[in-house]
Structure formats: structure tokens, C-alpha cells
Amino acid sequence: MFGFKLSVLFFAVFSLSKCSGRFVYSCKYPPSQWCDSEDIAAECGVLEQCMKFNVTKPNADKVNVSLYYESLCPGCRGFLVGQLLPTFIMLSEIMNVDLVPYGNAQEKEDQGKYTFICQHGEGECQGNMIETCLLDKLGMDALFVIFCMESGTDVLKAAQPCLAIYNPEITWDSVMKCVTGDQGNKLMHGNAVKTNALKPPHVYVPWITINGEHTDDLQNKAMTSLFSLVCSLYKGEKPAACTLGLKKETTSYCMK
Ligand SMILES: *[C@@H]1O[C@H](CO)[C@@H](O)[C@H](O)[C@H]1NC(C)=O
Ligand SMILES: *[C@@H]1O[C@H](CO)[C@@H](O)[C@H](O)[C@H]1NC(C)=O
């Protein structure tokens, strides 16, 4: 079974509790604001951790991490849940994340509309589309809803409750309007164009680029410990979090 492969540190920092297959947290602020002030940190029960991990001011270009993936690929889910989100929470001051849900899908054009065939079937196309629409509406905050979806047993069924937990201000109807409408169709075409423009072209997912570059070495390092890779590539003063490590993860791929 796909496990909740979160690092011990991540648990320690964000005190997430597992609740009927989904993660919930216990204060009214989104995770991105938890360390914004001592009051918020205290209310969310992470004061000590925020003090410890409060990062230094960034003074160099952020490390750009792009993930080309598909919503139902086990290796993609493992990377998103076990590496990408924990790393982003710890290092958001020194990294940018770009998610491109499409992966090994294929598209066909018919009179200006696109249809998609996905590696893990129709459900995966639906998952990719939901996540694409969430990213369009929420920007990087969508990472939390996507994490919640990908860490549940049923990615699609988790979508609506996950949105309600993390972004109750966004209605499910508005997401579905994007998913079933022209907007989602155009956005997914954009993902296809972006994925097909990769150099070198991707041969599996999750496919990672770092500052726009993909090499076997960067891929292996990202899959083993994205956290260490981002810390090592950041040219500015390293944030305090970088002096600690995250546990290594095992990797798996979905071949094209
Ligand atoms: C973390 O640092 C920021 C900026 O220096 C500060 O505004 C904030 O209050 C700090 N958070 C905590 C919990 O001390
Ligand atoms: C990351 O991307 C931004 C915006 O696209 C760019 O300005 C920056 O130089 C990139 N960072 C690195 C380390 O290349």
C-alpha cells in the first residue's frame, strides 16, 4: 500500500494528525503563514519549531524545482508527499516550485478542443485536471491541497474534502467549472506543450528539473533528498533549516 511517507521531521514541525486517511491541522491559518508571527505560531502549536527553523532572509536567486508528473503514478505520489511538500515547507524562502501535471499523457486536437489520454486511465486525466485548475486558482498554496489528495488512498475522492480543509474560500463548483470547461482544457494543453518541450525529453515520471535543467545526477539527488539538494544549490546564506537533514526516501518511476 501507498504509505504516508512523511519524514519524522515534517511530523515534528507541523504536528499533522492523520484523520480518516487525510491530514488535518488544528488552527485556522494556512501552513504558509504558520511562522509569520509568534502569535500565529503559538496558536498553531508550532512556536518552538518556528523559532528554531525561522529562516534567514534570502539573498540569492531561489532554486527552481519543477516537477513533471501525473496524478496517479505511485512514484510521483511518493515524491510529492515524501519529498516535495516537506522540503517546500522547510525551504520556501529559498526555492520555487512549479508543478506540471501531465506526465506521460498524450493529447489530440479536434477543432480547437483537446482530448487527453492518460497512462493510468480516465481517472488520472481527471486528477491531473483538478490539480491543474487548483494550481491556476491558488498558485503555490495549491501544493497543500494536492499533497492532501496525493497522500489519501483515493486521490479523486479526496479532492473535494481536501479543498474544504485547506482552502474553504474556494468552492468546489468553481474548481469543477474549470475542470469541465474551456479553461481547464486550455490549461492542460499548456501543460502538454511545456512537457513536450522538455530538453532532454522526459522518459519517465516523476521527472524533475532544477533551475530548468535535467540530468541523471540532479534527478537522483532530488529523488534521494530534495532537501539536501536545494540546500546545497542555494548560493545565498543557508537558512537554519539546512543544517538539519530530512530522511532519505526510496524512489520509483512510471516508465513512458
Ligand atoms: C520569523 O521571522 C520573521 C521575519 O524575521 C518574523 O517576522 C517572525 O515573527 C518570526 N516568527 C517567529 C515565530 O518568531
Ligand atoms: C529561478 O527562476 C527565476 C524566475 O524565473 C529566475 O529569476 C531565477 O534566476 C531562477 N533561479 C536560478 C537559481 O536560476
Side-chain angles (χ1 to χ4, degrees):
M1 269 323 291
F2 183 82
F4 295 89
K5 293 198 279 173
L6 286 175
S7 73
V8 173
L9 187 56
F10 181 51
F11 269 112
V13 172
F14 292 99
S15 336
L16 291 166
S17 59
K18 206 179 105 182
C19 172
S20 44
R22 292 190 299 274
F23 288 101
V24 293
Y25 58 91
S26 55
C27 66
K28 63 176 185 288
Y29 298 93
S32 54
Q33 290 173 16
W34 284 352
C35 292
D36 280 3
S37 80
E38 289 190 23
D39 288 349
I40 295 175
E43 185 176 330
C44 299
V46 292
L47 182 57
E48 195 188 324
Q49 288 84 356
C50 282
M51 302 289 237
K52 207 182 284 174
F53 294 117
N54 211 350
V55 289
T56 55
K57 285 272 161 286
N59 54 5
D61 279 350
K62 292 186 176 187
V63 179
N64 298 314
V65 178
S66 300
L67 175 65
Y68 295 80
Y69 75 107
E70 50 198 33
S71 60
L72 300 187
C73 149
C76 301
R77 299 178 65 188
F79 179 74
L80 258 165
V81 173
Q83 299 263 3
L84 190 62
L85 190 88
T87 301
F88 180 67
I89 290 177
M90 301 290 292
L91 301 179
S92 60
E93 306 261 334
I94 63 162
M95 75 187 281
N96 295 316
V97 171
D98 184 29
L99 292 186
V100 188
Y102 183 76
N104 299 334
Q106 290 166 355
E107 75 167 358
K108 288 200 183 86
E109 191 189 347
D110 184 21
Q111 297 169 352
K113 281 278 259 182
Y114 298 91
T115 52
F116 303 95
I117 299 168
C118 297
Q119 184 170 27
H120 300 91
E122 190 47 44
E124 178 159 83
C125 285
Q126 181 81 355
N128 289 349
M129 192 66 98
I130 292 170
E131 292 179 2
T132 297
C133 288
L134 289 171
L135 286 162
D136 185 58
K137 283 184 191 303
L138 292 166
M140 263 312 98
D141 271 353
L143 213 55
F144 296 97
V145 191
I146 292 172
F147 162 81
C148 177
M149 289 169 66
E150 298 290 349
S151 63
T153 35
D154 187 324
V155 175
L156 293 177
K157 278 198 190 130
Q160 190 173 356
C162 285
L163 182 69
I165 291 170
Y166 286 90
N167 296 92
E169 76 282 6
I170 308 277
T171 66
W172 180 245
D173 283 354
S174 73
V175 175
M176 285 318 283
K177 199 172 162 221
C178 166
V179 165
T180 55
D182 285 348
Q183 192 195 359
N185 201 259
K186 282 203 188 80
L187 290 168
M188 190 56 69
H189 172 61
N191 290 351
V193 169
K194 222 167 146 176
T195 304
N196 292 333
L198 279 167
K199 284 195 176 73
H202 79 285
V203 287
Y204 51 75
V205 287
W207 187 262
I208 298 155
T209 69
I210 305 288
N211 296 330
E213 188 192 3
H214 176 97
T215 64
D216 289 347
D217 184 51
L218 286 171
Q219 175 82 23
N220 291 339
K221 284 181 173 149
M223 293 299 283
T224 315
S225 176
L226 181 67
F227 184 88
S228 308
L229 180 64
V230 171
C231 281
S232 73
L233 290 177
Y234 182 63
K235 298 215 167 68
E237 192 188 330
K238 311 275 187 214
C242 284
T243 58
L244 294 151
L246 284 177
K247 269 202 323 189
K248 290 188 174 181
E249 291 287 329
T250 51
T251 60
S252 91
Y253 292 110
C254 289
M255 303 308 292
K256 210 171 166 181

